[in-house]
Amino acid sequence: MVHQYKLNGYNIVLDTCSGSIHSVDDLAYDVISMIRENTQGDIIDAMLKKYDDVTAEDVQECIDDVVALRRAGKLWTPDTYEGLAFDFKARNTVIKALCLHVAHTCNLNCSYCFASQGKYQGERALMSFEVGKRAIDFLIENSGTRRNLEVDFFGGEPLMNWDVVKQVVEYAREQEKIHNKNFRFTLTTNGMLIDDEVIEYSNKEMHNVVLSLDGRKEVHDHLRVDYAGKGSYDTIVPKFQEFVKKRGDKNYYMRGTFTHNNVDFTKDLFHMADLGFTELSMEPVVCDPADPYALTEEDKPILFEQYEILAKEMLQRKRDGKPITFYHYMLDLEHGPCIYKRISGCGSGTEYMAVTPWGELYPCHQFVGDEKYSMGDIWKGVTNHEVQNEFKCCNAYAREGCNDCWAKLYCSGGCAANAYHATGSITGIYEYGCDLFKKRIECAIMMKVAEAEEGL
């Protein structure tokens, strides 16, 4: 499978199964597009009609080069991975990460919140230290020989249960030495309760922090409001700036959500950069299509253009020595994920699970509250093996609609939760999200081509 596209002056050819990427001239681009369905004579005739400055010898040489690339396994490489995908059901998985829902409550009342303002369609609750402690034990017990483990503190708003967060971290640090484990913690927060103590502790203990900011004040305050209807921008931005200033070289992300209200989301990203933030993420809202802020088909070409604007601006900022990072454009073409990871994806329901304040297990945070996907609890372990087996087989080859998609080894079949909420099946296709993902990958690859050619 080969994917060809033109972007920012580059002719890019991607070979799906080998991962080879070629930046070619116009002649080679056209030859590649024709060579599977036409004779060499027909290709030469067509190219001589199209280009005034090439000879038959030039075209034949180009054809020979393309044939050589195919023989070298760098174009139209056979797909030999499907058999691997369905061996996954039999594999012995270990759990390597938990998302601890330390607070099923929130001090903001964001309209688009998938978690129903932190309640997850249930009652407000805070996780006790006893549950958090048991979650750490459960992770250690089910991690096998794996040493590096991850714990995300999530909500709702986890800072509303900050003492328990710290107690859980301290307990995990004690257990590291006993069990030869290494914990990496992530905190996701809306920022309202950040103070000097939170900053100091997080910068010491949290491997990563995710700070929620939608961008420009008018955009952010339109949906991210408190229960009195007041926007949160003025409260959180100075706190975030202080947080990041003191964080040094440790990981963080400013994470925003764009909706139908701000399809010009690059302005929000550049606004964040102007505030001093360089590690950025912006996610498309996923909601009921009837919601007033839902993305529409009419929005899609605008969003495509926005992704291109972002890629070009990021290249320019890198040339100027003022680079910014965009989460969805992070792509390692040489040392990226192994083929098993490319097929299996995020590991939800197998390697990664969410834990409610009561200790109940779900495949990930986006399934919490849906009893069909309750997997067990941190005391008895996984008891709903039917669901776990369903997630073991949820991969890039489990979706019929992915069979002929050039991007399947980049998205691993896409987000199971988004597919489920869009189609009712975790192996369905959330087509809108797929289209945006493919555009992001095209932009990310173009940036890699530009950086290589310009020596950036």
Side-chain angles (χ1 to χ4, degrees), residues 197-235:
E197 190 269 336
V198 169
I199 293 173
E200 181 180 359
Y201 190 86
S202 297
N203 286 343
K204 175 175 175 286
E205 294 289 359
M206 300 297 163
H207 176 75
N208 202 355
V209 292
V210 181
L211 308 171
S212 297
L213 178 67
D214 281 353
R216 293 162 288 178
K217 176 178 168 64
E218 63 272 20
V219 170
H220 180 92
D221 283 351
H222 184 66
L223 293 174
R224 298 190 67 82
V225 299
D226 63 20
Y227 280 86
K230 181 182 178 183
S232 55
Y233 180 95
D234 289 337
T235 299

Side-chain angles (χ1 to χ4, degrees), residues 96-364:
K96 66 179 184 180
L98 291 179
C99 180
L100 298 191
H101 288 222
V102 293
H104 271 197
T105 186
C106 191
N107 46 9
L108 290 183
N109 188 26
C110 307
S111 304
Y112 57 35
C113 180
F114 76 91
S116 301
Q117 291 69 48
K119 299 189 299 294
Y120 290 86
Q121 291 78 48
E123 299 296 322
R124 296 186 184 277
L126 298 177
M127 180 179 286
S128 67
F129 171 56
E130 288 69 27
V131 171
K133 176 182 175 182
R134 175 57 202 156
I136 295 297
D137 292 338
F138 169 80
L139 179 54
I140 292 170
E141 291 163 7
N142 290 274
S143 61
T145 59
R146 184 181 178 89
R147 184 168 185 270
N148 293 318
L149 305 176
E150 299 178 15
V151 174
D152 302 337
F153 293 108
F154 203 71
E157 174 47 51
L159 293 187
M160 295 181 75
N161 200 11
W162 181 236
D163 285 344
V164 166
V165 170
K166 292 188 291 184
Q167 287 176 301
V168 171
V169 169
E170 288 157 16
Y171 178 72
R173 294 295 182 218
E174 294 170 0
Q175 299 305 303
E176 281 181 325
K177 306 176 185 68
I178 299 170
H179 299 281
N180 190 32
K181 301 293 184 181
N182 177 55
F183 282 94
R184 294 195 297 189
F185 299 103
T186 296
L187 174 71
T188 299
T189 178
N190 63 33
M192 294 293 285
L193 296 176
I194 286 176
D195 58 22
D196 290 342
E197 190 269 336
V198 169
I199 293 173
E200 181 180 359
Y201 190 86
S202 297
N203 286 343
K204 175 175 175 286
E205 294 289 359
M206 300 297 163
H207 176 75
N208 202 355
V209 292
V210 181
L211 308 171
S212 297
L213 178 67
D214 281 353
R216 293 162 288 178
K217 176 178 168 64
E218 63 272 20
V219 170
H220 180 92
D221 283 351
H222 184 66
L223 293 174
R224 298 190 67 82
V225 299
D226 63 20
Y227 280 86
K230 181 182 178 183
S232 55
Y233 180 95
D234 289 337
T235 299
I236 65 172
V237 166
K239 295 183 177 191
F240 286 164
Q241 289 174 313
E242 185 70 9
F243 204 140
V244 169
K245 178 182 175 182
K246 292 182 176 178
R247 190 149 179 83
D249 60 357
K250 285 195 169 185
N251 295 336
Y252 77 92
Y253 270 101
M254 307 305 301
R255 191 237 189 248
T257 299
F258 67 81
T259 72
H260 179 67
N261 300 329
N262 63 312
V263 289
D264 58 346
F265 67 86
T266 57
K267 293 180 180 177
D268 296 293
L269 287 167
F270 300 146
H271 176 74
M272 293 184 199
D274 291 342
L275 290 173
F277 307 121
T278 59
E279 310 303 304
L280 310 175
S281 174
M282 185 68 76
E283 306 292 334
V285 70
V286 178
C287 61
D288 188 319
D291 288 336
Y293 45 79
L295 296 169
T296 67
E297 282 297 319
E298 291 71 27
D299 291 335
K300 199 181 289 182
I302 302 172
L303 298 176
F304 288 174
E305 182 183 24
Q306 289 290 296
Y307 282 123
E308 292 186 15
I309 289 171
L310 175 59
K312 294 172 186 176
E313 177 65 17
M314 287 178 65
L315 286 170
Q316 187 58 51
R317 290 185 183 226
K318 192 165 187 178
R319 295 184 193 105
D320 295 340
K322 300 177 181 178
I324 58 175
T325 298
F326 181 58
Y327 178 77
H328 289 294
Y329 288 173
M330 294 177 68
L331 196 61
D332 186 342
L333 298 179
E334 295 182 4
H335 308 101
C338 67
I339 189 60
Y340 289 96
K341 191 65 177 173
R342 283 175 174 263
I343 293 171
S344 62
C346 70
S348 59
T350 56
E351 301 173 326
Y352 167 89
M353 296 177 192
V355 183
T356 70
W358 306 277
E360 194 172 3
L361 294 168
Y362 285 88
C364 84

